[in-house]
Amino acid sequence: MFFFVLKDNMSIFVARNMGILYIIPTPVGNMEDITLRAIRLLKEVDLILAEDTRTSGILLKHFDIKNQLMSHHKFNEHGTTTGIIERLKAGLSIALISDAGTPGISDPGFYLVREAVEAGIEVQCLPGATAFVPALVVSGLPDDRFCFEGFLPQKKGRRTRLLSLQNEERTMVFYESPYRVLKTLQQFAEIFGQDRKVSCCREISKVHEESVRGTLAEVTAHFKEKEPKGEFVIVLAGKHTKDNKHKME
């Protein structure tokens, strides 16, 4: 970054480095899933932006990270981003974390990253924990091509979104709350057919991690008998074609 400073009525050309915005994944379950680089950077940066400072405070205490926390979440990000960008321009290095997983993946992060990029600020995203990758890999469904749908609309636009996916041939990945899992599976069966293959993965990397696999009819019946608990990743097979049918056999 370059700027001018007025001194004795003369403009002096001064160079100054901008800070770096680090996007740092945090564990979705097991604390040991964090990387060594993530721990080091969380200790070194000037400021940590956290979705919930209480939740992140537990993580930081576990790894003896004593750094300044600032609240940055979906309800205040439009108000806080301008000030954060100014701090980055002034040379501060800042880390963004969410409650769990990689910021920006169904969590706050996109808006800040976009504004930082447009301001010419360097953005680095560390590789690390995210819920949908392990759920997809252990599903037993084709994972060479897939689409990530995240959370479906809770009400308005939900059915329209699902209808738009009726002819999707790739494996589809959804996030879902335990309170809506049964409703979602029933809607899937109605729109995609009861024989469509599905895998429901919950509590990823935690003590009670579990994947329930089968047809939509079978998995729906399972969760009618057993109350869904924990956050879910639902992996749904794409529409059968000769190619992906062969991959699933």
Side-chain angles (χ1 to χ4, degrees):
M1 175 183 179
F2 298 94
F3 62 96
F4 289 95
V5 176
L6 286 175
K7 185 177 182 180
D8 298 328
N9 295 320
M10 295 179 64
S11 295
I12 302 175
F13 200 55
V14 181
R16 183 176 184 180
N17 292 325
M18 289 193 281
I20 298 174
L21 174 63
Y22 294 101
I23 310 302
I24 300 183
T26 54
V28 297
N30 195 314
M31 289 282 197
E32 293 179 358
D33 291 339
I34 197 168
T35 68
L36 295 174
R37 183 182 173 206
I39 294 172
R40 175 178 62 79
L41 285 172
L42 288 173
K43 290 180 177 181
E44 291 178 356
V45 294
D46 299 295
L47 176 67
I48 299 172
L49 307 175
E51 185 178 3
D52 187 324
T53 55
R54 295 165 299 181
T55 301
S56 296
I58 297 171
L59 175 74
L60 300 186
K61 183 178 180 180
H62 181 82
F63 291 105
D64 195 31
I65 299 170
K66 300 171 183 178
N67 208 334
Q68 182 183 356
L69 277 173
M70 175 179 164
S71 179
H72 182 80
H73 48 73
K74 66 179 181 180
F75 300 109
N76 74 355
E77 61 182 348
H78 288 268
T80 59
T81 293
T82 300
I84 294 167
I85 296 298
E86 290 306 312
R87 293 188 186 200
L88 288 162
K89 286 181 177 179
L92 272 65
S93 289
I94 298 176
L96 172 66
I97 59 177
S98 62
D99 289 348
T102 301
I105 305 297
S106 292
D107 278 324
F110 161 73
Y111 180 70
L112 176 59
V113 169
R114 185 188 69 183
E115 295 301 300
V117 169
E118 290 185 356
I121 294 164
E122 182 178 356
V123 180
Q124 294 185 17
C125 181
L126 277 63
T130 189
F132 78 83
V133 173
L136 173 64
V137 171
V138 304
S139 70
L141 297 171
D143 55 10
D144 56 330
R145 296 175 65 244
F146 66 91
C147 62
F148 176 71
E149 292 294 322
F151 287 100
L152 290 165
Q154 291 187 27
K155 295 180 181 179
K156 186 177 180 181
R158 185 181 181 90
R159 185 175 178 81
T160 301
R161 173 82 67 82
L162 290 176
L163 288 172
S164 74
L165 295 170
Q166 270 189 317
N167 294 317
E168 176 58 65
E169 297 178 358
R170 296 169 295 177
T171 299
M172 294 166 274
V173 183
F174 303 86
Y175 284 167
E176 192 53 278
S177 156
Y179 308 108
R180 289 189 295 273
V181 165
L182 194 54
K183 173 186 175 183
T184 298
L185 292 172
Q186 290 169 332
Q187 287 180 320
F188 283 1
E190 176 190 347
I191 291 173
F192 301 107
Q194 295 195 22
D195 293 332
R196 184 73 68 94
K197 294 287 187 179
V198 69
S199 173
C200 285
C201 190
R202 70 181 189 91
E203 297 291 86
I204 293 171
S205 86
K206 297 179 182 178
V207 174
H208 300 292
E209 179 176 344
E210 177 186 37
S211 290
V212 180
R213 307 173 184 88
T215 65
L216 281 167
E218 291 167 342
V219 175
T220 299
H222 172 85
F223 287 113
K224 282 183 177 179
E225 294 291 326
K226 185 178 180 180
E227 181 185 0
K229 294 181 180 179
E231 296 301 314
F232 277 75
V233 181
I234 302 176
V235 184
L236 182 68
K239 184 178 180 180
H240 279 201
T241 64
K242 290 182 180 179
D243 288 339
N244 69 22
K245 183 177 180 181
H246 173 73
K247 291 173 185 176
M248 292 175 65
E249 292 176 346

